[in-house]
Amino acid sequence: MTQNTSTSPVLPDWVRSAVFYELYPQSFFDSDGDGIGDLEGAIRKLDYVKSLGATAIWLNPFFASPMRDAGYDVSDYYAVDPRYGTNQTAKTLFASAKQRGLRVIVDLVPGHTSIDHPWFKESARMAPSRPFKNWYIWTNSAWDNGGEPWSKKMIHGYSNRNGNFLINFYWSQPALNFGFAKPDRPWQLPTTHEDVQALWAEMRNVMRFWLEMGASGFRVDMADSIIRNDPDRTETRRFWRLAREELSRDFPDLFLVAEGHPSSVLDGSGFHSAFMHWANGYWQVFRQGQTVSQSGEVVHADPYFSRSENGDFRPYLETWKKEYAATRDGGVISVPIGNHDLPRFAVGQSDEDLAMIFAFNAAWESIPFIYYGDEIGLRQQSSDNPIHEGHYPTRNGARTPMQWTRERNFGFSECNPARLYLPVDPNPSATCVESQESDPNALIHAVRRLNQIRTTEPALFAGSPIEILAEGAPGEPLVFLRGDKTTGQILCALKPSAGPCEWVLPNSLQGASFVRMAGGRFPAEIAGNRILFKDASWGFFKTIR
């Protein structure tokens, strides 16, 4: 399977070679000793992000919030929460990043707000004013629970307003009313309603505000679910397409990446990319001992990227192929190896094993995103951590403080450990940046080398062609070819499972010459018409024909 175009026509040029670093502000670096990371802390660590070879930052929510869902419950889209700093701090962060050649995209949460947002407070009054009356989804009576399938997410008896309101996730996150594509109840407004359209315009204003402050784009939370009764996502696509068309006129380098199914948001929606991790087969790729679901049946499977010979890349690849075929002309599917909603992948894995995951991240037809701390193999912390700010144990354990040095709190904060936002790893010899920097074989150096290759080799840029040669069956390699005659071609071969293996090159590559560009500590080799894997090993090879 080969992509037809050598470059994706929808991507801004700066994104094609980009490597993003996801920076979770409350967990990255605490500059004022209150136990919570902040934007000034992020500014102080920009040189570190740059040193990794990253070219852009995805900044998780920093908006004003009561923090019932760690900032994904916004009470003011136009203000930085005081615990992170001020709007001026954010502006300084954007400018300081650009001075270092780093772009910043902001995490946008358009589908819901906090119950503390002034819009919702007005909407919940006995006699709400317009347009706020209709900026949230209310039934017409306190005795109307919405009926199926809405009743399970209706909150009853919250205010003096005669109606119940719909939530998106937690009880405290009322859904904003972007309209219903096909209204079928009296309380459902069409997307063309004037109050709904006023909300559409207001969300574009929010985006414009942060772009004018210096942001370069947005990662959009739950992007494909803002409009209800929209089975074909026609109106969802229209909303995002209009937003991009309007904003791109003034910000031509705007980048939009969605949390959502690629086929829902990359087919004429205006998004440049979409993450694909809530998808069949994903849990069989990176995470050790995870429980996965196949055709509704709960099973247990070892991940493909592990020493196990049972790991299988093909279920996820099958999903990827279908989504890719549906969206190849509309944008790029990004395959996250980690983020704030996923458990850390550094479980039961050596640094060498983790380096192969980063090799995949650098080479696959995708836009690479690195979750803070994964570059040093930060471990998932105990699920016994207390529930905090809506995290719940699994998410909690992946959002613990970055580990910088061997000093107090691993250099994250000078506060009393009891005041930390979340506890650091209790093991005093746990990984940290300082210890990895001094070890030439540490993971952080492999990540830097891979990022350097990714950002300088056009054959690996997002949108460059990919041809799958071996699909990663259990115990077998994943082999693919990137690039074309214009960019040159790079053969990428990865075999995570233990034990030796030989793989015969296809006829199209036999007779070509190869120069190895990169490989693990025991790299794959090409001898004659075969790739030789001595053990778990990988290699990138430039092809010369």
Side-chain angles (χ1 to χ4, degrees):
M1 178 182 60
T2 305
Q3 184 172 324
N4 291 330
T5 55
S6 59
T7 61
S8 173
V10 301
L11 284 180
D13 285 344
W14 69 269
V15 178
R16 293 185 58 243
S17 59
V19 172
F20 282 82
Y21 188 84
E22 183 184 354
L23 195 157
Y24 198 66
Q26 55 261 55
S27 300
F28 198 58
F29 186 70
D30 172 20
S31 71
D32 58 9
D34 66 355
I36 302 172
D38 44 56
L39 296 186
E40 176 60 34
I43 292 169
R44 295 184 189 182
K45 295 296 186 180
L46 286 174
D47 287 336
Y48 169 76
V49 176
K50 177 73 173 178
S51 79
L52 294 175
T55 62
I57 291 169
W58 160 18
L59 185 64
N60 291 111
F62 55 79
F63 310 110
S65 168
M67 301 295 167
R68 296 186 185 93
D69 188 17
Y72 284 88
D73 49 332
V74 178
S75 59
D76 187 346
Y77 285 108
Y78 295 100
V80 170
D81 193 273
R83 78 179 192 178
Y84 299 130
T86 66
N87 281 20
Q88 182 57 50
T89 320
K91 192 171 184 179
T92 300
L93 171 60
F94 299 149
S96 299
K98 283 187 178 178
Q99 289 172 1
R100 293 164 171 81
L102 296 168
R103 304 263 188 159
V104 180
I105 65 170
V106 172
D107 211 326
L108 181 69
V109 189
H112 55 262
T113 68
S114 165
I115 55 172
D116 295 338
H117 199 295
W119 300 345
F120 184 73
K121 289 181 178 181
E122 177 60 28
S123 189
R125 290 176 61 238
M126 183 182 296
S129 63
R130 293 181 60 190
F132 306 108
K133 173 183 178 180
N134 292 316
W135 274 15
Y136 295 86
I137 301 172
W138 293 84
T139 62
N140 293 331
S141 165
W143 305 113
D144 182 357
N145 69 358
E148 295 299 328
W150 314 105
S151 60
K152 294 179 182 178
K153 287 197 171 185
M154 285 289 179
I155 300 298
H156 180 68
Y158 175 79
S159 75
N160 289 332
R161 178 168 174 168
N162 185 21
N164 302 308
F165 69 87
L166 187 74
I167 62 171
N168 257 354
F169 194 46
Y170 291 137
W171 69 272
S172 58
Q173 294 171 313
L176 283 165
N177 190 3
F178 288 86
F180 287 72
K182 298 178 179 180
D184 58 13
R185 307 286 172 92
W187 48 270
Q188 298 176 2
L189 298 183
T191 57
T192 54
H193 190 281
E194 62 180 308
D195 293 347
V196 171
Q197 283 299 303
L199 176 61
W200 282 32
E202 179 64 15
M203 196 53 65
R204 294 195 297 269
N205 288 341
V206 169
M207 298 170 74
R208 178 177 293 278
F209 178 83
W210 292 107
L211 292 169
E212 290 176 346
M213 289 279 280
S216 292
F218 302 92
R219 175 268 186 186
V220 180
D221 188 69
M222 299 173 65
D224 60 353
S225 61
I226 60 171
I227 294 171
R228 271 71 183 182
N229 281 7
D230 191 15
D232 298 324
R233 301 294 195 271
T234 302
E235 288 297 278
T236 302
R237 292 187 183 96
R238 186 167 74 90
F239 172 83
W240 291 116
R241 185 172 63 252
L242 289 173
R244 178 176 163 188
E245 287 173 354
E246 176 186 314
L247 296 170
S248 291
R249 286 194 288 268
D250 296 322
F251 305 95
D253 286 340
L254 169 70
F255 173 61
L256 297 175
V257 57
E259 180 192 36
H261 298 289
S263 55
S264 297
V265 293
L266 294 184
D267 185 7
S269 70
F271 277 95
H272 301 94
S273 182
F275 292 115
M276 198 176 85
H277 50 298
W278 310 124
N280 182 54
Y282 177 80
W283 293 103
Q284 290 162 267
V285 180
F286 303 117
R287 280 162 181 79
Q288 189 79 20
Q290 298 290 338
T291 302
V292 299
S293 178
Q294 291 179 316
S295 304
E297 179 185 3
V298 177
V299 298
H300 184 84
D302 291 326
Y304 179 70
F305 282 98
S306 71
R307 296 296 178 102
S308 169
E309 293 189 359
N310 298 318
D312 195 343
F313 189 74
R314 293 174 300 176
Y316 181 74
L317 180 61
E318 192 63 29
T319 306
W320 181 89
K321 283 180 177 179
K322 292 176 182 177
E323 292 287 326
Y324 177 83
T327 62
R328 59 196 294 174
D329 296 323
V332 174
I333 297 172
S334 290
V335 179
I337 58 175
N339 67 32
H340 63 287
D341 279 332
L342 300 172
R344 296 276 183 181
F345 59 66
V347 177
Q349 306 269 51
S350 69
D351 276 9
E352 187 61 29
D353 296 329
L354 298 177
M356 195 178 312
I357 294 176
F358 278 102
F360 171 86
N361 193 47
W364 191 250
E365 161 49 338
S366 175
I367 298 170
F369 285 79
I370 298 171
Y371 185 46
Y372 85 94
D374 279 353
E375 75 277 9
I376 59 170
L378 203 64
R379 260 47 182 182
Q380 178 80 7
Q381 295 306 302
S382 170
S383 61
D384 294 332
N385 280 342
I387 294 172
H388 184 60
E389 296 189 357
H391 284 179
Y392 289 95
T394 300
R395 295 200 296 175
N396 226 14
R399 300 178 180 183
T400 55
M402 180 65 171
Q403 295 168 191
W404 296 100
T405 69
R406 294 290 181 211
E407 297 172 358
R408 187 179 198 175
N409 300 321
F410 280 103
F412 165 74
S413 174
E414 295 180 354
C415 74
N416 184 309
R419 296 183 62 203
L420 286 173
Y421 169 73
L422 285 171
V424 295
D425 193 321
N427 180 358
S429 61
T431 185
C432 67
V433 173
E434 181 181 60
S435 64
Q436 291 239 337
E437 293 280 20
S438 61
D439 178 1
N441 295 317
L443 177 63
I444 195 170
H445 301 297
V447 172
R448 285 182 172 132
R449 289 190 293 270
L450 286 162
N451 287 344
Q452 194 275 332
I453 292 172
R454 173 66 192 219
T455 57
T456 58
E457 288 291 340
L460 298 182
F461 289 178
S464 181
I466 182 169
E467 181 180 357
I468 312 298
L469 303 176
E471 297 191 340
E476 297 182 9
L478 173 66
V479 184
F480 51 94
L481 195 64
R482 295 294 312 279
D484 58 18
K485 292 180 180 179
T486 302
T487 62
Q489 289 186 307
I490 296 176
L491 181 66
C492 306
L494 307 98
K495 192 187 80 70
S497 61
C501 175
E502 294 185 6
W503 186 80
V504 179
L505 293 169
N507 291 336
S508 60
L509 289 177
Q510 291 189 16
S513 299
F514 301 92
V515 177
R516 188 171 63 215
M517 304 169 54
R521 193 173 303 177
F522 306 103
E525 298 177 352
I526 294 181
N529 64 349
R530 297 172 183 270
I531 303 178
L532 307 179
F533 302 92
K534 297 178 182 178
D535 195 359
S537 54
W538 61 276
F540 298 168
F541 305 87
K542 273 194 174 179
T543 63
I544 303 171
R545 299 176 188 268

